[in-house]
């Protein structure tokens, strides 16, 4: 009868080339920038609850007071 020997083998990480590391870093940077741009554009269309006509009246009032 054979006995099986079990031995623990630790996975040895192979060194990656400098080019591969830079390529992975660049790809991660592109993904991060794309994510930030998409998140910035995903905000609400109108941040305030005011209607555009009310906002236009406020702008006109401010410009009248500052020109006097």
């Amino acid at each position: 009868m054979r006995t099986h020997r079990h031995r623990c083998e630790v996975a040895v990480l192979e060194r990656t080339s400098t080019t591969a590391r830079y390529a992975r870093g660049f790809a991660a940077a592109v993904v991060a920038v794309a994510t930030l741009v998409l998140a910035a554009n995903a905000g609400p269309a109108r941040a305030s609850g005011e209607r555009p006509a009310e906002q236009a009246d406020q702008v006109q009032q401010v410009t009248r007071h500052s020109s006097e």
Side-chain angles (χ1 to χ4, degrees):
M1 180 175 206
R2 284 186 170 173
T3 59
H4 291 71
R5 292 185 181 180
H6 298 284
R7 58 187 156 117
C8 295
E9 294 184 16
V10 177
V12 178
L13 299 176
E14 295 181 18
R15 286 196 83 131
T16 57
S17 69
T18 305
T19 306
R21 283 185 299 215
Y22 278 111
R24 280 199 313 255
F26 181 75
V30 169
V31 169
V33 169
T35 303
L36 289 173
V37 168
L38 289 173
N41 290 329
R46 279 186 262 165
S48 64
E50 296 178 336
R51 289 177 281 164
E54 292 174 358
Q55 291 176 350
D57 290 339
Q58 290 176 359
V59 170
Q60 289 175 356
Q61 291 172 2
V62 170
T63 54
R64 282 188 211 140
H65 290 295
S66 61
S67 63
E68 293 177 354

